[in-house]
Amino acid sequence: MGLNNLQPAEGSVNRDGKRLGRGQGSGKGGTAARGHKGAKSRSGYSKKIGFEGGQMPLQRRVPKFGFTNINRKEYQGINLEKLQELVDNKILTNEVSLDLLIENGLVGKNDLVKILGNGELKAPLKISVHKFTASAKAAIEAAGGEAISL
């Protein structure tokens, strides 16, 4: 160790600025660098979400309309063409269950599933999901399959 590589102990220099509100002699006394009056100078101040300085907030200015049904059931739709594609790729064989659809990433584990009638189905599949459209049910039965509602 020489004089050329001496260093002060870790954390012993470079204090974190001036301490606020410790009297006029400190240079940051009085208002403690908060300015004069107003909400931001008070202790406990925190700006509310959407606060616009007293101006009427956007959330309250914009008109509200319509109705949201709290009991609405949202179904995840799967078209027949998607099922046929899975059959062609040899992912599905003859039975389609909810677990199989979840496994292949088509739906989430908490989703309600509805089979839609877009596309054509050639394979005779036994499909068991929550709902079917009338055209999907007809197409499945026409292909020799079975549509089972859970």
Side-chain angles (χ1 to χ4, degrees), residues 30-97:
T31 60
R34 287 170 177 254
H36 292 278
K37 300 183 181 175
K40 288 184 183 174
S41 71
R42 317 284 184 205
S43 68
Y45 167 76
S46 66
K47 192 175 85 173
K48 305 291 182 284
I49 294 171
F51 183 66
E52 297 181 19
Q55 172 177 297
M56 187 63 67
L58 184 68
Q59 175 66 18
R60 291 180 63 196
R61 288 199 306 265
V62 174
K64 286 129 191 91
F65 55 89
F67 170 76
T68 304
N69 184 358
I70 58 166
N71 298 315
R72 177 179 168 82
K73 285 192 169 80
E74 201 60 61
Y75 287 90
Q76 182 68 43
I78 297 177
N79 280 307
L80 290 176
E81 63 187 0
K82 188 67 185 171
L83 293 177
Q84 184 59 47
E85 191 181 302
L86 293 174
V87 170
D88 294 342
N89 294 337
K90 299 197 178 17
I91 295 169
L92 298 178
T93 52
N94 58 353
E95 208 164 308
V96 180
S97 67

Side-chain angles (χ1 to χ4, degrees), residues 1-58:
M1 175 181 275
L3 289 177
N4 63 330
N5 58 6
L6 287 177
Q7 284 184 324
E10 190 67 43
S12 66
V13 293
N14 295 339
R15 279 186 281 127
D16 300 332
K18 285 191 177 181
R19 290 174 70 210
L20 303 177
R22 292 295 179 270
Q24 292 295 340
S26 73
K28 286 274 199 281
T31 60
R34 287 170 177 254
H36 292 278
K37 300 183 181 175
K40 288 184 183 174
S41 71
R42 317 284 184 205
S43 68
Y45 167 76
S46 66
K47 192 175 85 173
K48 305 291 182 284
I49 294 171
F51 183 66
E52 297 181 19
Q55 172 177 297
M56 187 63 67
L58 184 68

Side-chain angles (χ1 to χ4, degrees), residues 121 136-147:
L121 188 67
K137 197 165 197 162
I140 291 164
E141 286 164 1
E146 196 180 343

